[in-house]
Amino acid sequence: MGDPQMKFGVWLYGLGTVLTGIVDIAWGAFDASHQPIKSLGNDLPGQHFLGFGAGIWLVAVGLAFLWRRSARIGAAASAIAYLIFAALWLPRYYAGIHALGWRIDVLFGISFGLAQQLMLVAPAVIVYASTAQDSVLHKRATIAASWMLGLPPVVFGLAHLAGLRVFASIVPHWMSFGYFWAALAGIAFFLAGSAICSGIIDVLAARLLALMLLLFEGFVEIPPVFIRPHNQATWGAAVYNLSAIGACWIFAESLAIRASRGRIGPAENVTMSRSDSMVA
C-alpha cells in the first residue's frame, strides 16, 4: 500500500472525507443529498448537534486514514460512517413508495443515493484488510469491495438511462446534445460497473471510471460552487465526487499491485510485504 499511485487515491479519498466533514461543520447540518437524516423524521431532535458531530467524526477519520499508523482505525471508522449514511436511505423506500407509489423514478432516485454511500465503503474495506497482513482477509475484502464499488455504477447507469431528461438538464449549457451525453454517461457507468463486478478488465474499468468522475468534477460539480457558494448541496456534491475518484483509484491500484505480485518470485514477495502497512 506504499505504492505512489495507491497513495494518490488514498489522499483523494481521505481529503474528500475531511472536506465532507468540514461542509457538515460549516452548515451545522447533514447534507440532505447524501446524508438524509430527515428520513428518520423531520422533527428529529438535535439534528444540528448531530450534523456538527458527524462533521467532526468525518474530519477525524479522514485525517486518520491519511496517517499510516492510524490508517486501520481510520478505514474502519470511515466505513462505519458511510454505512450509516447508506442505511439512512433505506427508510426512504417505504416513505417514497407510500407517498408516490411504485414508480421507477422513485426507486432509482433512492437507490442512487444509497449506492453513492455504499461506493465509499469499498476503499475503506481494502485499506483495512491491507493493514492486517492476512491474505485470506485481503482476498475476501477484495471480493466484497468489487461488489460495493461495482454495483453503484450499474445503478448510476440505469438511473441515467431511465431519467435522461433529468440528467440531460445538468449537462453544461456550452455542451450541445445534452441527451446524448447523459445517455453516454449512463452506458459508461453501466459497463464500468459490470466489468468491476465480473472481474473482466476490472482494473481498466476502475481507472476509466475514476477518469470519468474526474471530468465530472471539472465540468459539472465545481462550476456550481462559484455560482451558489452558500448552498450546502453544491459543496457536498463536489467533495463527494472527490472521495469517489479516490475510491476508484484505490480499488484499481490494489488489484494492479496484487496482479504484479503474482508475477514475481517468493523472495521478492517477502520484501514487498514489509511495505503493506504504509498507506500514506
Side-chain angles (χ1 to χ4, degrees), residues 144-157:
S146 297
W147 287 98
M148 286 188 288
L149 192 81
L151 283 179
V154 172
V155 174
F156 301 158

Side-chain angles (χ1 to χ4, degrees), residues 24 44 60 65 102 106 108 111 114 127 150 157 160 167 175 191-193 197 204 206 210 225 229 241 250 254 261 280:
D24 286 348
L44 185 70
F65 193 85
W102 290 89
V106 173
F108 272 132
S111 299
L114 171 63
V127 171
H160 273 70
F167 288 98
M175 295 177 64
L191 293 177
C197 289
L204 177 61
V225 169
N241 211 46
I250 290 172
S254 69
R261 288 184 180 181

Side-chain angles (χ1 to χ4, degrees), residues 72-86:
R72 186 176 176 85
I73 297 175
S78 60
I80 291 172
Y82 289 121
L83 280 173
I84 291 175
F85 296 149

Side-chain angles (χ1 to χ4, degrees), residues 226-248:
F226 297 98
I227 301 172
R228 299 185 296 274
H230 302 294
N231 185 285
Q232 184 182 10
T234 301
W235 283 94
V239 298
Y240 167 82
N241 211 46
L242 197 65
S243 301
I245 296 169
C248 295

Side-chain angles (χ1 to χ4, degrees), residues 18 85 113 123 136 152 163 174 178 180 201 227 237 253 271:
V18 170
F85 296 149
V136 175
W174 54 269
F180 167 78
I201 59 171
I227 301 172
E253 295 310 314
T271 303

Side-chain angles (χ1 to χ4, degrees), residues 37-47 50:
I37 189 67
K38 291 186 182 297
S39 66
L40 301 179
N42 291 327
D43 300 322
L44 185 70
Q47 290 189 36
L50 288 173

